């Protein structure tokens, strides 16, 4: 069992930066590939990025590639999402999630989810 808690969301002007943190409980955190997803009002949840269990591989959605970076610190049981050059279209609730399988873009493979943190970038 893994419990996930996101933090670090907030209001930021376009072009600014935020770093989201996902803190995980459980001694097996390091065995789980992790993902970040987001959901804007009236839209379906979408993939943002994911990172392998050891942090050696990452995947990103095209919409955030080059602006967002995922990293993890298994000693601290945390995953980060560094978001730079934020745009109004990045406004959403951001969720971190853990998968027991290979790291993936598809939310259906993720079995543990956090409660989300709101990121707002005014236009």
């Amino acid at each position: 069992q893994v419990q996930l808690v996101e933090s670090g969301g907030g209001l930021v002007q376009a072009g600014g930066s935020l770093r989201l943190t996902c803190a995980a409980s459980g001694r097996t955190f390091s065995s789980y590939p992790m993902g970040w997803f987001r959901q804007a009002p009236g839209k379906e949840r979408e993939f943002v990025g994911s990172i392998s269990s050891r942090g050696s591989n990452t995947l990103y959605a095209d919409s955030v590639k080059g602006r967002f970076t995922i990293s993890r610190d298994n000693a601290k049981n945390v995953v980060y999402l560094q978001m730079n050059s934020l745009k109004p279209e990045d406004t959403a609730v951001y969720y971190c999630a853990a998968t027991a399988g290979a790291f993936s873009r598809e939310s259906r493979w993720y079995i543990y989810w956090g409660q989300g943190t709101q990121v707002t970038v005014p236009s």
Side-chain angles (χ1 to χ4, degrees):
Q1 186 83 13
V2 176
Q3 293 184 327
L4 304 172
V5 179
E6 303 94 336
S7 62
L11 177 70
V12 61
Q13 296 303 312
S17 298
L18 277 177
R19 187 177 78 162
L20 305 184
T21 299
C22 174
S25 64
R27 293 178 295 175
T28 59
F29 169 76
S30 61
S31 66
Y32 290 95
M34 299 293 294
W36 285 95
F37 294 80
R38 66 186 181 186
Q39 187 165 20
K43 295 187 177 181
E44 293 188 355
R45 183 168 52 193
E46 66 172 354
F47 171 77
V48 174
S50 58
I51 187 166
S52 59
S53 59
R54 295 179 182 268
S56 55
N57 293 292
T58 53
L59 285 173
Y60 295 97
D62 288 344
S63 58
V64 307
K65 198 174 295 182
R67 299 188 298 122
F68 290 11
T69 302
I70 296 176
S71 60
R72 66 190 296 164
D73 185 338
N74 286 341
K76 296 181 179 179
N77 277 17
V78 293
V79 177
Y80 302 107
L81 179 66
Q82 177 67 44
M83 306 186 294
N84 299 328
S85 302
L86 282 161
K87 305 175 181 180
E89 51 263 43
D90 294 319
T91 295
V93 177
Y94 284 72
Y95 300 90
C96 69
T99 174
F103 72 127
S104 170
R105 299 174 182 269
E106 297 186 42
S107 62
R108 62 192 175 109
W109 298 118
Y110 289 79
I111 56 175
Y112 300 114
W113 291 82
Q115 83 292 346
T117 186
Q118 176 71 46
V119 172
T120 302
V121 187
S123 57

